[in-house]
Amino acid sequence: MECATEMLATRPRESVTVRAVAAAAEASTTAVYSLFGGKDGLIGAVRDRAVASLFQDLSAVQTSADPLADLYALAVAYRRWGCGHSHLYTVLFGGVQSFDPSGEVGASDPIRPLLAAIDRALTASVFTGDATSIALSIWATLHGLVTLELAGALDATTAEAAFRSSIHATLRGWTTAEVFHSLRQAELAQ
């Protein structure tokens, strides 16, 4: 799995073959076929591993009485996971990925903690808007920031500052007028 993950993250997908993965893992092609049923099964297993790992890290984020703080904590966990598991992140999110926000969310779907936090923010009248649109907005911002950071387009200081300001701005953009005004007043008082 490690060899396949690295190869899928660093090479064009079509160049990753069962033979190449087996050779890199010092195993036989028969072993790869026995364990995964072939290239598609191996790619599926790597993807499943990435999804499970991301879900585990996002699910570990504690909830509080402050939905905005919870959403920011989820963003931090997503970034930490992406930077700490760059090959899995690339396999999972590299290139163009489909995102069907109207699709059914599975029990172990990494989007579940985000949707739960958004629902809490909507219920508490902290956010206004459509949960799907909010989730897509937050995910697009996070994905862009982490992808730029992993690509080396941002140095560490710039990446941290961009993350903090962009996530706060994205979250603030979905708040109700009352909450937005309160947040702006708090910022100006600092």
Side-chain angles (χ1 to χ4, degrees):
M1 289 271 287
E2 294 299 325
C3 292
T5 300
E6 182 178 346
M7 292 172 106
L8 288 166
T10 60
R11 299 180 185 183
R13 184 176 173 155
E14 58 276 358
S15 74
V16 178
T17 64
V18 170
R19 182 178 306 282
V21 171
E26 298 179 355
S28 69
T29 56
T30 304
V32 176
Y33 281 106
S34 295
L35 291 170
F36 304 104
K39 179 179 174 176
D40 289 342
L42 178 60
I43 291 170
V46 170
R47 186 168 168 72
D48 289 350
R49 179 176 170 221
V51 167
S53 178
L54 177 56
F55 176 75
Q56 179 181 350
D57 281 21
L58 294 178
S59 295
V61 173
Q62 298 296 310
T63 59
S64 71
D66 182 352
L68 286 176
D70 294 352
L71 284 160
Y72 189 81
L74 284 168
V76 169
Y78 179 95
R79 178 181 180 214
R80 185 181 321 116
W81 183 86
C83 291
H85 300 89
S86 61
H87 284 335
L88 287 176
Y89 186 88
T90 301
V91 169
L92 194 55
F93 297 120
V96 177
Q97 296 292 318
S98 62
F99 179 74
D100 180 7
S102 64
E104 189 174 324
V105 176
S108 298
D109 193 317
I111 196 79
R112 183 174 287 285
L114 177 64
L115 292 174
I118 290 168
D119 285 342
R120 287 193 312 278
L122 289 166
T123 300
S125 297
V126 172
F127 274 175
T128 185
D130 172 67
T132 299
S133 296
I134 296 168
L136 185 54
S137 171
I138 294 169
W139 182 70
T141 302
L142 275 169
H143 177 67
L145 290 166
V146 172
T147 299
L148 287 170
E149 188 171 2
L150 290 176
L154 307 172
D155 62 56
T157 302
T158 304
E160 182 61 34
F163 177 81
R164 201 172 31 256
S165 64
S166 297
I167 297 303
H168 283 301
T170 301
L171 296 176
R172 191 172 47 245
W174 290 103
T175 59
T176 61
E178 181 180 286
V179 172
F180 181 86
H181 180 71
S182 173
L183 291 172
R184 292 302 286 161
Q185 292 294 1
E187 287 174 6
L188 293 173
Q190 292 179 348

